[in-house]
Every structure is written in structure tokens, then in C-alpha cells.
């Protein structure tokens, strides 16, 4: 039995340069929502490096899945693609402009690795230690037919509804 449920987020995409920034923003927003702000820079750097590797090296296509999961005191970030070839850490010379992605991930993460995924694909992952106070995160809401949902009870009293008008906001 797991004493605390995991928190999980998955994004499917084509690893194109125009999408990498979007995924960084999604990962950052999700980590802020989980109150893991101290991990944003490391996670964003790591996912950028992994997506860049998919863009540059993956065959036959650039489709992939990014997953982040917080389980107890560890955040795991992984990128799954359809290329069975396993990556290697290169020693780039001091003037090289590329080739340091996995070395960067090794430097900023607690651990990292690669695992084959079926007959055609792999997952490259890294872990980051979560701050100590993540065990006190508020529980994620669960909505069902027996709850009021995320917005509270529906108002039926017209006087109360007039006193508290509906509001909306658009997040940019």
C-alpha cells in the first residue's frame, strides 16, 4: 500500500523546437501547482535536453511522451520515444556547441538512466529530490457524483446569487 498517492502529469508531442518551450512552460506550471518551485529550473533544463535529443536523434519519428511523477520524496521526469537506440554520454571538447545534454542531466539530477520500452522505443529519465515539505502538500481534490465539485455548491437563492455575481478569468 502506498501511504501517499502519486502526482502524475503526461504530455504527448512532436519533439520540434517550437514545442519544447511549450512543454517547459507546462512542466513549470505543474510543478508550481504541486508547490515544487525549487525544482522548476532543474526539471525544465533536463526536459529541454531530453526533448532536444529526441528532435536531433530519434528515428523513425519525433513523437514522444513526457511524464513527470512525484512519488513520496522523488520527482521523476521521463521522455519516451519510438527509437530503440540507447543514448550515450559523449565527452564534448571545450569548443563543441552540442553533445553535453546527458552530462548536464547527470550534473543537475540525483540519478538518471535509460530503459528499453517494448521492441521499438526507450525511456530516458532522471530524478530530483523533492523538498522536505512536500509531505505536507494539500491533498488533490477528487470530484464525483457525491461532491460539489471544484466550484462549491450551486446557488439557487436569487438574493445570494445577486450579492455574489459570477466571475471569470483568463490565464495568459
Amino acid at each position: 500500500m502506498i501511504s501517499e498517492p502519486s502526482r502524475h502529469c503526461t504530455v504527448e508531442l512532436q519533439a520540434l523546437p517550437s514545442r519544447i518551450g511549450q512543454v517547459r512552460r507546462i512542466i513549470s506550471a505543474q510543478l508550481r501547482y504541486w508547490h515544487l518551485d525549487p525544482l522548476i529550473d532543474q526539471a525544465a533544463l533536463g526536459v529541454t535536453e531530453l526533448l532536444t535529443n529526441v528532435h536531433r536523434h530519434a528515428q523513425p519519428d519525433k513523437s514522444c511522451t513526457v511524464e513527470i511523477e512525484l512519488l513520496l520524496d522523488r520527482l521523476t521526469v521521463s521522455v519516451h520515444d519510438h527509437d530503440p537506440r540507447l543514448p550515450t554520454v559523449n565527452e564534448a571538447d571545450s569548443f563543441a556547441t552540442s553533445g553535453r545534454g546527458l552530462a548536464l542531466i547527470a550534473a543537475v539530477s540525483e540519478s538518471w538512466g535509460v530503459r528499453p520500452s517494448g521492441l521499438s522505443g526507450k525511456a530516458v529519465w532522471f530524478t530530483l529530490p523533492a523538498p522536505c515539505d512536500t509531505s505536507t502538500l494539500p491533498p488533490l481534490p477528487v470530484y464525483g457524483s457525491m461532491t460539489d465539485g471544484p466550484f462549491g455548491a450551486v446557488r439557487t437563492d436569487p438574493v445570494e446569487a445577486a450579492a455574489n455575481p459570477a466571475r471569470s478569468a483568463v490565464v495568459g
Side-chain angles (χ1 to χ4, degrees), residues 48-69:
T48 298
E49 294 300 331
L50 294 180
L51 289 174
T52 300
N53 283 351
V54 173
H55 173 70
R56 288 187 175 173
H57 304 294
Q59 301 294 330
D61 61 45
K62 306 301 180 192
S63 63
C64 63
T65 303
V66 175
E67 291 185 82
I68 59 171
E69 182 176 33

Side-chain angles (χ1 to χ4, degrees), residues 21-168:
Q22 290 175 323
V23 173
R24 286 174 58 98
R25 287 187 295 278
I26 291 168
I27 298 299
S28 297
Q30 189 65 53
L31 293 178
R32 271 192 290 287
Y33 178 71
W34 290 344
H35 305 285
L36 294 173
D37 298 47
L39 302 181
I40 290 173
D41 290 341
Q42 294 163 292
L45 173 64
V47 80
T48 298
E49 294 300 331
L50 294 180
L51 289 174
T52 300
N53 283 351
V54 173
H55 173 70
R56 288 187 175 173
H57 304 294
Q59 301 294 330
D61 61 45
K62 306 301 180 192
S63 63
C64 63
T65 303
V66 175
E67 291 185 82
I68 59 171
E69 182 176 33
L70 175 64
L71 185 57
L72 300 177
D73 61 348
R74 293 284 172 275
L75 179 73
T76 302
V77 179
S78 59
V79 174
H80 307 256
D81 65 39
H82 301 286
D83 189 341
R85 297 175 297 155
L86 301 181
T88 58
V89 178
N90 297 325
E91 269 200 46
D93 70 40
S94 57
F95 297 107
T97 58
S98 63
R100 294 183 182 87
L102 291 176
L104 277 172
I105 290 170
V108 301
S109 68
E110 181 178 63
S111 60
W112 74 277
V114 181
R115 66 179 176 270
S117 178
L119 297 174
S120 62
K122 66 182 169 300
V124 183
W125 57 270
F126 63 92
T127 63
L128 300 170
C132 297
D133 58 352
T134 57
S135 61
T136 61
L137 288 176
L140 291 174
V142 177
Y143 305 114
S145 62
M146 301 303 289
T147 67
D148 292 331
F151 305 109
V154 177
R155 281 179 255 165
T156 56
D157 180 8
V159 174
E160 181 185 344
N164 298 304
R167 297 181 185 153
S168 65

